[in-house]
């Protein structure tokens, strides 16, 4: 059984570890051990996002992050706290996310703010 990679809503397909796009983080034993599949709630969230807030790099390389985001999506404070923790790295021993993932996370945060303004919450 191979790993599963996000290839667009709502399909997941097995992808060998060597079938990674150039510039993405290499699989290390620690990364492979942490690899998760997208949960149903994360897949539903991705499917509901508009195209400009799509998250292909995050879904492909950091599905555990999308799983955490989907868990707190409906809780404004928890979502804000999680996003701040993801986007503002205060741990010097961490490498951080690739630029493409940071852009996706930032766009998701902006999308969530637009939704809040529309609903008046």
């Amino acid at each position: 059984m191979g790993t599963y990679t996000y290839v667009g809503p709502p399909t997941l397909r097995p992808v060998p570890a060597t079938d990674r796009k150039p510039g993405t983080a290499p699989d290390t034993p620690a990364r492979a051990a942490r690899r998760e599949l997208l949960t149903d709630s994360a897949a539903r969230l991705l499917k509901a996002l508009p195209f400009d807030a799509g998250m292909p790099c995050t879904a492909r390389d950091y599905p555990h992050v999308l799983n955490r985001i989907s868990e707190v999506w409906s809780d404004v404070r928890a979502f804000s706290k999680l996003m701040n923790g993801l986007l503002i790295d205060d741990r010097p021993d961490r490498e951080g996310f690739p630029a493409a993932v940071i852009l996706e996370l930032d766009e998701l945060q902006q999308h969530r703010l637009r939704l809040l303004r529309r609903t008046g919450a």
Side-chain angles (χ1 to χ4, degrees), residues 9 34 41:
R34 288 192 316 262
S41 64

Side-chain angles (χ1 to χ4, degrees), residues 101-117:
V101 172
I102 291 173
L103 290 173
E104 289 176 357
L105 291 171
D106 183 61
E107 181 56 39
L108 180 67
Q109 188 173 38
Q110 296 305 314
H111 172 69
R112 187 72 176 102
L113 288 172
R114 287 189 298 271
L115 289 176
L116 287 173
R117 286 187 203 117

Side-chain angles (χ1 to χ4, degrees), residues 15-68:
V15 176
T18 57
D19 187 20
R20 300 195 56 79
K21 291 188 177 188
T24 60
D27 271 343
T28 62
R31 181 180 295 279
R34 288 192 316 262
R35 186 159 323 272
E36 296 178 23
L37 299 178
L38 286 175
T39 61
D40 289 341
S41 64
R44 281 192 303 274
L45 175 62
L46 281 174
K47 188 175 180 181
L49 292 175
F51 179 74
D52 65 335
M55 305 186 71
C57 296
T58 307
R60 181 186 64 234
D61 296 330
Y62 301 95
H64 63 285
V65 170
L66 280 175
N67 291 342
R68 287 174 54 204

